[in-house]
Amino acid sequence: MAKIATREAYGKALAALALENPKVVALDADLAASTKTIELKKVAPERHFDMGIAEANMMGVAAGMAANGYIPFASTFAVFASGRAYDQIRTSIAYANMNVKIGATHAGLTVGEDGATHQMLEDIALMRALPGMTVIQPADGIETYATIKAAAEYKGPVYIRLGRAAVEDINTSPDYKFEIGKGVVVHEGTSPVTFVATGVMVAEALKAMEQLKEQGIDPTLINIHTIKPLDEELIIKYAEKSEYIVSLEEHTVMGGLGSAVAEVLVKNCPRKQLFIGVQDVFGESGTPGPLLDKYGLSANKIVEKVTEFVK
Amino acid sequence: MEDLKLVANNMRKNIVKMVHNAKAGHPGGSLSCTDILVALYFNVMNIDKNNLNDTRRDKLVMSKGHASPALYAVLAEKGFIPEEELMTFRLINSRLQGHPSRKNCPGVDMSTGSLGQGLSVGVGMSIANKLDNNEFRTYVICGDGECDEGQIWEAAMAAAHYKLDNLLLVIDHNGLQIDGRNEDVMNTAPLGEKFASFGWNVFGVDGHDIDAVTEACKAAEQIKGKPTVIIAETIKGKGVSFMENQAGWHGKAPNDEELAQALKDLGGE
């Protein structure tokens, strides 16, 4: 199985897109080699704009370019994109309904050694609270490629949450189809348990499910790449068949995917829900694997918690 | 030119009437930038009813979005919105939001309101015009108090870095902000020298002299390789005796008696 970070796939997709569409431009804030917008720069240097370490300005510039008909992909680390430049995204992009794509890389704990200041764990909550903002977090390189293409075709602001660490390809089925707002059933289980996961947690959930199977627990796994607008229909459909819902995200459990799922279910089909995610604390330095484990997001920890939850 | 003075005067009357009617809004900084808007919309920008929905034209970003009454008043003078609609300003269901919204109001090129963001948007529009290799220009109006915002200086760096000679910034230098005089609240002086050191061409002008503002804008078109800022010296509350140079009239609505006095100052109804 191929293993590639979603930010790597982002760079490749952006470069391919730039060659297809002369309106696609990239903006970066002195992180082009890390966010991988440098890939676009290699093929279309005249459409790559470094804004220096000035994220607020970058979001405004992106809005201005969109106002004149361009499709800007503005990139920096998720913490700076959604945190530092929140008000610029709110006013100049979301409220103004500008066709800006925010490529937010290095999201979550798996940023690793840089520690808590660089591990954005609140961005899904921040971005999904903005009216008109579409929020997408692809689970692997294949899905990232599809996301970038779809985001460019879609008219309106999109926040794309990407990771630093390599993840295994999951969406390898020849039937795989990406559509904004449509969840993907990765595995149809036989137990009354449904996993709803996003981003790197889809791969982690799959690993956990292998172990759970040995204990006779065979959950369904839904990959929610689009957190907003959420595929409510799909989630309700599987909740109706389940007693237990498990949401999994590399994000705080406050306001992210788990909250979005609970908001839908409490109105339509209330179920007991286990919130796998970071429990209202900041992260710390470390390598991705041990970090996921310490904060309760590793396959082993998922198995422990789920076993307890469905007992 | 006499006609344009009448246009400006009519705008000022509309500004005080709008804010009075809404019982809310920002008359001081609207009255200070009125003549600048007249110069830009009537003498400088290639914008009219026919190309309003075309992205291929000059654009204006009112970065000091609280001066929305002045912007709406000039849009009405240009016939982009009906003059009678001005009295819906800030009322529920109106297209004329407290701060300008491009989704709502024809002729509003950018939604603003959170200070410091408009110059960045102007930079983006100007980069886009350069990429398109066209001759369209982007105009941004900022307040002097707004220059407290760090983002203004991020954008100032970027505009010079990308040599945006198709971008013109006008600073409405009325010397006052909400809490008082600029130099007491947060000293931004010397603004011109700051912009010059950031790589900008700097013009100074009497911001109530429509001819002078027009000439400076035309002269800016000849400056190549760098953006231009016009620091327009203005009077907050210009034209209304009791509002002039009073920080207290930044964001306050006149009552009935004050409206009558204001309209009298502006030459009647």
Side-chain angles (χ1 to χ4, degrees), chain B residues 11-262:
Chain B
M11 280 172 61
R12 287 195 161 91
K13 287 183 200 166
N14 276 330
I15 288 165
V16 290
K17 284 192 213 166
M18 288 161 81
V19 176
H20 166 264
N21 188 61
K23 298 186 174 66
H26 298 81
S30 296
L31 294 166
S32 66
C33 68
T34 297
D35 303 302
I36 297 165
L37 285 168
V38 171
L40 287 171
Y41 275 91
F42 284 87
N43 290 338
V44 178
M45 293 167 64
N46 78 333
I47 182 168
D48 56 52
K49 262 185 179 170
N50 300 320
N51 69 5
L52 202 55
N53 296 319
D54 192 348
T55 60
R56 292 171 48 80
R57 59 168 170 79
D58 291 343
K59 291 215 174 88
L60 183 133
V61 179
M62 178 59 96
S63 192
K64 46 173 283 182
H66 56 276
S68 53
L71 182 62
Y72 298 144
V74 81
L75 296 181
E77 295 294 335
K78 290 290 284 186
F80 302 162
I81 56 173
E83 191 172 12
E84 54 272 21
E85 188 176 350
L86 293 177
M87 291 310 128
T88 69
F89 171 62
R90 282 187 174 239
L91 303 183
I92 196 155
N93 300 324
S94 173
R95 298 196 294 180
L96 311 186
Q97 291 295 296
H99 294 81
S101 168
R102 66 185 284 275
K103 279 181 294 185
N104 297 60
C105 182
V108 171
D109 288 333
M110 185 58 197
S111 306
T112 52
S114 180
L115 290 176
Q117 299 192 19
L119 186 56
S120 299
V121 175
V123 168
M125 290 173 171
S126 302
I127 289 177
N129 285 334
K130 289 268 180 194
L131 269 180
D132 288 339
N133 211 12
N134 66 34
E135 74 285 12
F136 303 118
R137 294 177 63 79
T138 308
Y139 297 88
V140 179
I141 299 180
C142 284
D144 47 10
E146 187 178 7
C147 293
D148 296 353
E149 291 279 4
Q151 192 183 345
I152 291 288
W153 303 100
E154 293 184 3
M157 268 187 280
H161 182 83
Y162 285 103
K163 302 183 168 56
L164 302 178
D165 49 20
N166 53 353
L167 172 69
L168 180 73
L169 168 64
V170 183
I171 295 180
D172 177 11
H173 194 358
N174 60 36
L176 295 171
Q177 54 198 108
I178 296 177
D179 280 352
R181 301 189 312 158
N182 295 156
E183 54 265 45
D184 295 332
V185 179
M186 181 48 63
N187 195 10
T188 51
L191 263 182
E193 287 173 38
K194 285 193 171 91
F195 274 96
S197 74
F198 272 66
W200 286 58
N201 173 56
V202 182
F203 288 148
V205 72
D206 173 355
H208 297 306
D209 182 337
I210 296 169
D211 278 340
V213 174
T214 302
E215 278 166 31
C217 291
K218 301 276 187 196
E221 290 175 21
Q222 306 308 316
I223 306 290
K224 298 298 172 197
K226 52 165 83 171
T228 290
V229 55
I230 295 175
I231 299 183
E233 298 302 332
T234 58
I235 293 167
K236 196 154 185 161
K238 171 74 176 175
V240 176
S241 55
F242 57 93
M243 290 187 186
E244 285 196 357
N245 289 317
Q246 297 297 319
W249 283 100
H250 172 88
K252 192 169 86 169
N255 62 26
D256 292 350
E257 294 74 36
E258 287 161 340
L259 174 68
Q261 178 61 47

Side-chain angles (χ1 to χ4, degrees), chain A residues 77 91 93 104 142 149 163 195 203 205 226 271 274 276 285 287 291 293:
Chain A
F77 291 178
T91 305
I93 296 176
I142 296 163
K149 213 169 149 44
F195 279 18
T226 308
R271 289 290 181 270
L274 173 64
I276 303 274
S285 291
T287 53
L291 279 169
D293 196 59

